[in-house]
Structure formats: structure tokens, C-alpha cells
Amino acid sequence: MSNCSRRLPHVDALKALAAQVIVLHHLVSYGPIARAAHEALPWLAGAMHQYGRMAVQVFLVVGGFLSARGLSPRGKALHANVPELLWRRYLRLTLPFLAALALTLGTCGLIASSWPELVPADIGLGQLLAHALLLHDVLGYEALTVGAWYVAIDLQLFALLVGLLWLARRGWRHPGRLVVGPLLVAGAALASAFVFNRDPALDSFAPYFFVSYGLGALVHWLGLWRHRRAGLVLLAATMGVALLLDWRDRLALALATVLWLAWAQQRHAERRPLLPTTWAATLARGSTTSYALFLLHFPVLLLTNALLAQLPGAAPAMGLLLLLATWLLANCLAAPFHRWVEAPAARLDPLAWLPRLRAA
């Protein structure tokens, strides 16, 4: 089977679109380029600045779905080596993140004199170490690049999902079938929706975001259940109650994404394509490089903002032109970054030389 045939075009579409929206949100949120965009296109730039950040919820839902699909593709119990799973996930996230962070800090050194407002004033060893361990928010350090919080939360969410499935290992009620694991995940998602997600002070920790991630995981498992529709109705009704209790735009978007993903996944299972097959390759490329784009666009934005800052009195049209150039350049750089940095990090097997730990 070819790689393209194993892909899920509807998931690729969600990831590719969400990545572009997040990039555009940052382009209209920082520096002279953002000010020019708001002056030239106030309504559009304002809407993207206000609501574009919510696209992260799409990534959270898709992340939960893909993690559950990877850990239990056919609804079977988790048999993987948990420490190795977490270590691989850490490396896959952190190595590209640190490479992009190095580019960001190098760029900050180049533009410090022309555009100091977004350049960190003082960077200590503790702050760098906290970023390397993805603990900067937990330890109270200022983030050195946009989106750093998401990388840390992604690892926390994955670890929480793996931990719940590990706890459920002794709870399988059918040979090799998944029963207790999804129930634990559903319980954690409900606790997030009704308790943790309502306290903004907890937004540095996985329980705050687990409602979106857990719902994405449940979409995968519901797709394996013969009572899928009843499960989706129950899920939607429960989240509706949570929204009536405390309306949250992000949770509403997560729920909408979950329902759309469940519908699209069912069409895919029935071999009824949702999108034209000619789009598959483009969507796959956009999805594959979405993390690289997420990491790389900020140092590019720093450079183009510094360039605009050197043109006092420039018309808003120049700012829009540089905004477009930033978007295009970031997208162009994402592919080689994925090929030469992100993909090797994903293939890295640091535990190969520790057979005893692997055997454990």
C-alpha cells in the first residue's frame, strides 16, 4: 500500500488549514507588519487577530485523534514500552523546536538594534534549560518564541493519554479489546470540560486542554464501535451541558471540529471521498510540514518586521506586501526544515544502544 493511500485527506486538510490560520494570526499580531495590516484591512486583520488563535483547538483535537489511532489503531490494548513512547515523543517535538529556537535567537541578535520590542532582554541558562525540557511555563519563565507553550502542552497531553491507557491495561474485558481505556479518557475529558478548563490559571498544564485532546481520541474509538452514532450524540450532549454551564468559544470550536471529524472519518471508512482526489498530494504536503511551518514562521517574521522598521513612513501597502512575503517564505522554508530536521528527529532511535531498557 502506498503512503498516500494510508493518509487521511480530511485530517490533512484540518492540519494544513489550522497551521495557515495560526501563522496568519501571528502575522497580524506582532510588529510593524501587524500595524500595517490593521491599518489597511482593519476588519479582516482584527478578526484574524481576535479569533485566529482558536485554530489551536483544531490541532488539539487532531492530535488526540492521531495519538489514539497510533497507540491503538484497532481498539486493542496498549502493549508498547511506555518510557520509550514518551522519550520518542519528546525527541520528535523538542529537537525541531530547539533548532527553530536557535534560529529565532540568532535572528533576535541580528535585529536587536532595529526592532528591540520583541527581542528578549536577558536570557539565562535556566531559561534555556527550561525550554529544552519544555517546562518554561511550568517554571514561570518567559517564552523565547511564539507557540512554545503549545509544544510543551502537546507532550503533556500525549503523556497523559499514554498514562491513562497504561492504567487501563488490567481492565480489558474482552481479549485484546479496548474498554476501560476509553472510559478513563472520557472521564478525564469530562473533568477537563467541567472543572479544569474553566480555570485559566491552569493553562500551563495538560488537564486544562485535555477536553479537546480527549474528544479527538474518542472519535477514533467511537469509529470502531457499532453504536458510534449513539456515542457521538452522548458526547455532543455532554459538551453542550458544559457549554451551557460556562460558554467557551474554544470548547465550542473543539466540539464542532470533533463532530466534523467523526462525519468525515465515517465517509472515509465508507470510501466516499470528502475532498477531490486531486487535492490529496497538496493537502498531504501541507499537513506534513505543518509543524515545521509552525516553528519557523516567527524568525522569518522577525526579519521582515525589522526590514519594515527600517522604512519609516512606508505606506500600509508595503506592510501588506511584506506580510505576503513572510507567509510565502515561511511556507517555502517549512519543507526543507521538515526534511532535514524534523524527519530525522522522528526517525532517531536513541534507545537502540540500551537493549536492557528496551526489553524492560
Side-chain angles (χ1 to χ4, degrees):
M1 182 182 296
S2 68
N3 184 56
C4 289
S5 63
R6 291 195 299 267
R7 299 194 70 96
L8 302 176
H10 51 287
V11 174
D12 286 340
L14 285 174
K15 290 179 64 180
L17 178 61
Q20 298 298 336
V21 170
I22 290 170
V23 169
L24 291 174
H25 163 70
H26 289 152
L27 295 187
V28 299
S29 299
Y30 297 100
I33 287 180
R35 291 192 287 271
H38 282 271
E39 185 175 346
L41 301 169
W43 184 86
L44 183 60
M48 187 60 68
H49 173 73
Q50 181 69 23
Y51 300 108
R53 71 188 70 184
M54 292 172 57
V56 170
Q57 297 301 315
V58 176
F59 268 121
L60 293 174
V61 170
V62 170
F65 173 82
L66 292 177
S67 293
R69 188 170 180 259
L71 295 169
S72 178
R74 299 186 183 277
K76 295 184 178 180
L78 177 68
H79 294 297
N81 185 316
V82 171
E84 183 176 356
L85 275 176
L86 298 179
W87 180 237
R88 284 180 175 275
R89 185 71 167 194
Y90 169 79
L91 292 174
R92 185 172 187 172
L93 289 170
T94 307
L95 294 181
F97 168 67
L98 292 179
L101 180 59
L103 290 174
T104 299
L105 295 179
T107 304
C108 287
L110 291 175
I111 69 166
S113 60
S114 59
W115 188 40
E117 62 184 272
L118 279 183
V119 175
D122 187 21
I123 302 174
L125 180 60
Q127 188 175 16
L128 292 174
L129 182 60
H131 278 73
L133 297 175
L134 301 185
L135 293 174
H136 45 281
D137 284 334
V138 174
L139 297 178
Y141 286 103
E142 180 184 2
L144 295 175
T145 184
V146 298
W149 69 271
Y150 174 81
V151 182
I153 286 297
D154 186 285
L155 180 63
Q156 289 187 35
L157 290 169
F158 182 80
L160 179 54
L161 178 63
V162 170
L164 291 171
L165 295 182
W166 177 81
L167 287 174
R169 273 181 172 174
R170 296 183 178 274
W172 312 118
R173 295 294 180 254
H174 303 286
R177 298 298 295 176
L178 200 61
V179 176
V180 174
L183 292 179
L184 289 179
V185 172
L190 288 177
S192 176
F194 285 91
V195 181
F196 302 114
N197 188 252
R198 299 175 64 193
D199 185 358
L202 299 176
D203 66 356
S204 296
F205 303 94
Y208 180 86
F209 296 96
F210 193 76
V211 56
S212 301
Y213 199 83
L215 290 178
L218 291 172
V219 168
H220 166 67
W221 289 317
L222 285 174
L224 305 175
W225 193 31
R226 64 179 181 273
H227 303 300
R228 181 186 67 89
R229 292 186 179 179
L232 285 172
V233 170
L234 179 61
L235 182 151
T238 305
M239 290 301 106
V241 172
L243 288 169
L244 286 175
L245 182 65
D246 185 359
W247 178 265
R248 286 149 283 175
D249 291 341
R250 290 177 175 84
L251 180 56
L253 177 59
L255 177 58
T257 303
V258 162
L259 296 177
W260 186 90
L261 178 59
W263 171 73
Q265 184 66 10
Q266 183 62 28
R267 284 182 62 99
H268 178 79
E270 296 170 354
R271 299 186 182 278
R272 293 190 296 156
L274 180 66
L275 300 167
T277 55
T278 53
W279 294 12
T282 300
L283 292 174
R285 284 193 296 271
S287 173
T288 300
T289 61
S290 59
Y291 185 50
L293 176 64
F294 177 78
L295 294 175
L296 272 188
H297 73 277
F298 190 61
V300 178
L301 178 60
L302 289 175
L303 286 174
T304 51
N305 263 312
L307 176 60
L308 186 59
Q310 296 297 314
L311 303 173
M318 177 59 71
L320 290 180
L321 182 61
L322 285 174
L323 185 151
L324 178 60
T326 304
W327 177 75
L328 289 172
L329 183 57
N331 276 274
C332 290
L333 292 176
F337 186 88
H338 168 78
R339 179 179 179 181
W340 299 112
V341 179
E342 184 184 355
R347 295 192 299 266
L348 188 64
D349 188 5
L351 297 183
W353 59 282
L354 292 174
R356 292 184 180 178
L357 181 58
R358 178 186 291 275

